[in-house]
Amino acid sequence: MNTEGNERTGHPILWTLAVLVVAGFAFAGYLVFAPGPTAFAQGKRVSLPDYRDKDPTGVPDELKSASLVERGEYLTRAADCAACHTAKGGEPYAGGRAFVLPFGTMYSTNITPDKDTGIGDYTDADFLNALHKGVGRGNVKLYPAMPYASYTYMADADALAIKAYLFSLKPLHAPAPPNTLMFPFNQRSLMSIWSVMFNPDKRYEPNVERDAVWNRGAYLVEAMGHCGECHTPRNLAFALNNRKKFAGAVQAGWRAYNITPDRSSGVGAWSDADLVHYLATGHADGRGTASGPMGEAVDESLQYLKASDVTAMVTYLRTVASVATRDLPEPRAAPAAASFAEGVRSAAEPGGRAVYEGACVGCHGWTGVSPGIASANLTGTRSVNDATATNVAQVIIHGGERQAEAGPSNMPAFGSSYSDSEIASVANYVTARFGAQASDLSAAQVAKLRTQD
């Protein structure tokens, strides 16, 4: 019996399999052993009890003597719970908000103290398990759309203060609609594997080589505000890719832009005052006005933070590693020509100007500098300097209602007034007239955007 030929053909197959196995383990290791959210800062980290500087957790000094429920309210705002757990037009914290994903739709849950449909039966341990481990009462595995991989860094005392506030609310009977996720994403048991790989399940550890303000900012940005959940790209397993921390990503059909110190595509050219004002009010002159999910974050969370906390967040953001987003050019700072007949590049569709003239020019002007509404200025804004025109189209479709403490502002929604092709045309016109690079948005892309918010 001649086995020589089998050996000659078998060895390459075995070597190929070995290489594939090694490559698979290497790739898995690359995903699993990715840097943590504050790893870029290096330095020695210690457990919170061993930290000798000012405690970065809890509430700011102005609220230290407040009741547990009052402190919990502040921390609930800082954690931005209302934005996800409130359906559009629904009762706060009663859940039911739809999240449209590439593999189906999921709905947020009721977190009022209703015992049947909410969290009224949750013990302290149940609540901590949900926030830190992604495990709900009854050992139900939570999907990471609930950002427990960020909340895991939240101090126990802060989590329980949030629970105290939520339990002070009126119980609302509001069962969540059933999720419609395709296989295998509808298998909750798989979340156990995901959590083992991507949820560190540990509390925030201060960096002793950074000052107290930096550590407070890191805690607010990472553990409470979970900014990376929108602004950091995800890997193939849908976990945050902190190798490109804060470089930008698309969430719920909106583009969350680069917030690293890169001067062209990030916020490196913004002054500290610009960033503080934007976070606190949702607007910075010459930089833009928050809309979509970021507008909600300002309205539901950031505008309620004390000035010291917003300043701490900016202090931390300034130290994040700079990452360039290649498809985002440096924003054009100069206004467009005052005459509608000048300044538009030939690539813009003629129909876009007609829509702009009929619906937009009254607030935004021909130059991009609003004749009377600062929040309506287009000049210098990131969205009109984004050649995908994603956020431009979204705000045209859905409008931009804001409820800032400084006063409400409103951009009407034009989604029902104009067709997909008309919205694509006017979005392309806006980026061509006021931006650094004209977009080429199609009607089909607009139709898809309509379904994603």
Side-chain angles (χ1 to χ4, degrees):
M1 180 176 178
N2 184 4
T3 61
E4 196 172 330
N6 290 336
E7 290 176 359
R8 287 174 181 169
T9 57
H11 286 171
I13 294 174
L14 291 175
W15 275 111
T16 300
L17 289 174
V19 169
L20 289 174
V21 169
V22 171
F25 276 111
F27 181 67
Y30 177 82
L31 294 181
V32 174
F33 298 106
T38 62
F40 71 91
Q42 302 180 351
K44 181 181 178 182
R45 295 169 183 79
V46 298
S47 64
L48 196 59
D50 294 331
Y51 187 57
R52 296 294 173 253
D53 209 330
K54 185 176 180 180
D55 187 348
T57 70
V59 295
D61 291 340
E62 299 97 311
L63 295 173
K64 291 293 187 184
S65 61
S67 70
L68 177 63
V69 169
E70 289 173 321
R71 284 180 278 127
E73 181 179 16
Y74 183 87
L75 294 167
T76 302
R77 295 283 196 188
D80 200 16
C81 303
C84 287
H85 288 279
T86 305
K88 293 186 177 180
E91 293 287 342
Y93 304 111
R97 177 157 186 175
F99 293 89
V100 180
L101 306 170
F103 40 84
T105 301
M106 67 173 57
Y107 296 87
S108 63
T109 55
N110 181 352
I111 56 171
T112 74
D114 179 70
K115 291 190 176 183
D116 292 326
T117 63
I119 59 171
D121 281 336
Y122 270 53
T123 65
D124 287 355
D126 290 335
F127 197 79
L128 291 175
N129 281 338
L131 261 66
H132 291 157
K133 302 176 185 294
V135 179
R137 196 165 187 272
N139 201 34
V140 174
K141 305 301 186 290
L142 305 181
Y143 290 105
M146 192 284 203
Y148 57 83
S150 292
Y151 286 159
T152 193
Y153 297 104
M154 190 188 301
D156 287 8
D158 289 351
L160 295 179
I162 289 174
K163 176 177 177 283
Y165 170 69
L166 293 175
F167 271 59
S168 75
L169 302 176
K170 177 183 177 181
L172 298 171
H173 186 83
N179 297 330
T180 58
L181 302 177
M182 66 178 65
F183 184 85
F185 301 101
N186 60 352
Q187 303 299 303
R188 284 184 180 271
S189 59
L190 295 177
M191 295 303 100
S192 297
I193 300 172
W194 190 95
S195 291
V196 167
M197 296 174 67
F198 301 114
N199 180 19
D201 187 20
K202 64 180 180 181
R203 312 299 82 81
Y204 178 74
E205 296 178 335
N207 186 328
V208 297
E209 296 179 26
R210 300 282 182 164
D211 63 22
V213 174
W214 186 93
N215 277 289
R216 175 63 173 172
Y219 183 72
L220 288 168
V221 168
E222 303 295 351
M224 302 301 293
H226 55 280
C227 303
E229 297 286 340
C230 284
H231 288 278
T232 296
R234 294 182 181 271
N235 61 28
L236 291 177
F238 293 96
L240 298 184
N241 178 10
N242 284 311
R243 295 182 178 90
K244 296 182 179 179
K245 183 178 181 63
F246 294 156
V250 175
Q251 298 290 342
W254 292 76
R255 194 165 185 183
Y257 289 116
N258 184 333
I259 54 172
T260 77
D262 184 73
R263 292 190 63 83
S264 295
S265 57
V267 294
W270 295 40
S271 68
D272 286 356
D274 286 339
L275 277 172
V276 166
H277 199 260
Y278 186 85
L279 291 176
T281 70
H283 173 76
D285 288 340
R287 303 299 183 185
T289 299
S291 56
M294 187 63 201
E296 291 179 350
V298 174
D299 289 352
E300 299 288 354
S301 174
L302 294 169
Q303 69 166 325
Y304 296 99
L305 300 189
K306 300 297 184 182
S308 60
D309 276 352
V310 178
T311 299
M313 293 175 73
V314 171
T315 297
Y316 174 72
L317 288 172
R318 288 302 200 194
T319 68
V320 172
S322 178
V323 180
T325 304
R326 297 187 182 279
D327 67 338
L328 291 178
E330 184 174 357
R332 174 185 168 189
S339 169
F340 68 86
E342 300 176 29
V344 179
R345 297 162 194 179
S346 59
E349 300 172 47
R353 191 183 85 179
V355 175
Y356 185 85
E357 185 172 16
C360 313
V361 73
C363 288
H364 300 292
W366 289 112
T367 65
V369 177
S370 174
I373 308 171
S375 60
N377 288 343
L378 300 177
T379 301
T381 64
R382 171 54 69 194
S383 59
V384 302
N385 287 276
D386 172 7
T388 69
T390 298
N391 289 6
V392 172
Q394 286 283 35
V395 80
I396 293 169
I397 295 167
H398 299 289
E401 185 176 357
R402 297 289 316 288
Q403 299 296 327
E405 281 191 332
S409 61
N410 180 51
M411 174 176 162
F414 292 102
S416 61
S417 303
Y418 292 100
S419 67
D420 295 342
S421 60
E422 287 173 320
I423 290 172
S425 294
V426 72
N428 292 335
Y429 179 82
V430 166
T431 59
R433 184 170 185 85
F434 306 112
Q437 183 178 341
S439 60
D440 188 24
L441 193 67
S442 68
Q445 289 171 309
V446 172
K448 184 176 180 180
L449 290 175
R450 287 184 188 271
T451 68
Q452 292 182 307
D453 181 62

